[in-house]
Amino acid sequence: MLQYLILQLCDTATSYCHYGNSHCEAQLMPLPILEKAVLWAMKEDLSVQVVYPDYALPQEYREVIDRVDHTDIVSSHSDLKDVAQVVVVDDWDELQDISFAKDAVYVLRTTLTSFYKRYEELTSVLQQVSRLNVVFLDVEHFTDADATVYGKALDFLAKDIEQLYVNGGQVQLNLLTDRMMLNKMNNCSAGETNVTLAPDGRFYVCPAFYNESNGYSIGSLDEGLDVKNAQLYKLDHAPICRHCDAYHCKRCIWLNRKTTLEVNTPSHEQCMMAHLERNASRLLLDALRKHGTFLPEQESITEIDYLDPFEKRKEWQ
Ligand code: SF4
């Protein structure tokens, strides 16, 4: 069931996820389309997430957006960075200069190589934020050889989080704490629980499908939503994911299509990373419980001997 509408306000709106946005020329969503979209979201009872460009919007845009409950997603270069709920950072050097707000979520978009070089810099960030999401721009380049260094980085960050909790602090890091708190799949669910409206007045599965030259639209405000083969975006039609317990995994539909040409079939790389995170979360949960009661309603995460559920396909019923 549809729950969220993502409004990409301009072609140059910040990316907050795996996809890149190569648009250089601003093309702002026309005000009448924005007004119509806000009305549609209200009628459909959807939560709205607004993705902004870095330049300041005309005042009438703010007034229309404020008609509906919404979450603002901006880049760290936006004038709205001190009031937005989600702030996206694309540059590790900038992390040192940000005045973090405890009530905002920060998204760090990074390549794997930069993460391996600089993950220790996240120690001080984790002490200042309530939640940090690390999003990788090149998941498809993750190799078996990366598994060791990625696992080492996760272990390092897990120690930071353990220390913070022991000292009475709290922080969420998507790579390590999300899985600890989940009992079932909590994926991105683009195309199922959320869709994106782009500046052209058309719906897309997510902003990545608008920003990529080979993306496709799934209807428009005028014609309504038209998701072809809608079942393919659902977990019960995902032949590998439905056997998986890396519940925090984004299960990125765009990455799936890019790497396997199927929206419901993930690449080995996406699964390996999610399972390394799952396994590090298991150890972190166990470590935290040695200090006292922690998430008592949660079951322990079981130990497994694979990094890709596809390896276990012969055991599926
Ligand atoms: S780890 Fe792989 S199989 Fe599991 S949910 Fe993620 S993409 Fe699907």
Side-chain angles (χ1 to χ4, degrees):
M1 196 180 93
L2 200 58
Q3 293 172 284
Y4 303 96
L5 175 66
I6 297 163
L7 290 177
Q8 173 160 342
L9 289 182
C10 178
D11 278 7
T12 60
T14 188
S15 166
Y16 56 90
C17 201
H18 298 299
Y19 66 94
N21 185 352
S22 55
H23 287 116
C24 302
E25 277 184 38
Q27 180 176 314
L28 190 57
M29 178 180 284
L31 194 60
I33 291 183
L34 179 64
E35 287 179 314
K36 218 172 185 175
V38 164
L39 189 60
W40 186 76
M42 288 196 277
K43 276 190 195 152
E44 299 289 324
D45 198 20
L46 303 179
S47 300
V48 176
Q49 299 176 345
V50 188
V51 194
Y52 290 78
D54 284 352
Y55 60 85
L57 292 181
Q59 179 57 25
E60 57 265 37
Y61 277 70
R62 297 289 319 165
E63 286 164 12
V64 173
I65 293 165
D66 284 342
R67 286 177 197 162
V68 66
D69 276 346
H70 63 277
T71 301
D72 289 332
I73 302 175
V74 305
S75 94
S76 55
H77 299 144
S78 162
D79 288 350
L80 298 173
K81 66 179 182 304
D82 295 326
V83 292
Q85 291 79 20
V86 181
V87 180
V88 181
V89 184
D90 279 298
D91 182 344
W92 282 83
D93 288 337
E94 274 179 28
L95 278 179
Q96 312 307 325
D97 302 329
I98 292 180
S99 306
F100 293 107
K102 274 285 182 191
D103 54 357
V105 171
Y106 292 86
V107 177
L108 173 64
R109 297 177 69 246
T110 177
T111 61
L112 290 163
T113 306
S114 296
F115 180 77
Y116 300 154
K117 272 192 205 145
R118 303 186 67 167
Y119 65 83
E120 293 186 8
E121 295 174 30
L122 296 182
T123 299
S124 67
V125 177
L126 292 173
Q127 288 164 356
Q128 298 173 71
V129 301
S130 298
R131 181 173 176 88
L132 176 68
N133 292 343
V134 177
V135 178
F136 294 99
L137 311 183
D138 47 1
V139 171
E140 67 274 27
H141 295 136
F142 193 83
T143 64
D144 288 358
D146 284 317
T148 307
V149 61
Y150 189 52
K152 198 172 138 212
L154 292 173
D155 291 344
F156 177 92
L157 295 169
K159 288 265 178 318
D160 282 346
I161 292 170
E162 181 184 351
Q163 201 52 55
L164 268 166
Y165 277 69
V166 167
N167 292 338
Q170 278 205 345
V171 68
Q172 293 180 9
L173 173 65
N174 64 326
L175 308 178
L176 286 164
T177 59
D178 285 4
R179 176 60 184 82
M180 292 195 310
M181 300 178 193
L182 291 169
N183 288 317
K184 61 180 177 137
M185 279 290 184
N186 185 26
N187 318 123
C188 165
S189 303
E192 183 188 6
T193 63
N194 66 85
V195 294
T196 291
L197 188 81
D200 63 358
R202 301 197 68 80
F203 291 114
Y204 294 82
V205 174
C206 77
F209 282 74
Y210 174 66
N211 291 316
E212 291 276 302
S213 55
N214 63 353
Y216 52 84
S217 135
I218 51 171
S220 69
L221 274 175
D222 291 331
E223 299 151 8
L225 262 179
D226 178 22
V227 187
K228 303 261 185 313
N229 293 316
Q231 74 280 2
L232 295 182
Y233 299 91
K234 297 184 175 160
L235 181 63
D236 60 4
H237 277 69
I240 303 172
C241 301
R242 67 175 189 236
H243 297 284
C244 181
D245 76 347
Y247 298 145
H248 69 294
C249 177
K250 272 188 190 293
R251 211 163 69 74
C252 176
I253 298 288
W254 173 73
L255 265 179
N256 289 354
R257 180 169 175 262
K258 184 175 177 189
T259 52
T260 70
L261 307 180
E262 304 274 356
V263 293
N264 60 351
T265 305
S267 66
H268 177 59
E269 294 81 16
Q270 188 172 186
C271 296
M272 265 201 299
M273 291 188 75
H275 278 77
L276 288 161
E277 293 153 15
R278 174 207 181 278
N279 295 345
S281 304
R282 178 179 79 81
L283 296 176
L284 176 57
L285 181 57
D286 291 349
L288 288 169
R289 283 177 168 165
K290 287 191 182 134
H291 298 285
T293 307
F294 183 75
L295 296 175
E297 70 288 356
Q298 286 294 123
E299 284 181 15
S300 296
I301 303 169
T302 53
E303 190 167 2
I304 51 175
D305 60 358
Y306 57 89
L307 290 179
D308 182 344
F310 189 67
E311 294 165 24
K312 292 285 168 181
R313 63 195 173 282
K314 293 200 177 117
E315 295 171 21
W316 296 345
Q317 309 218 327

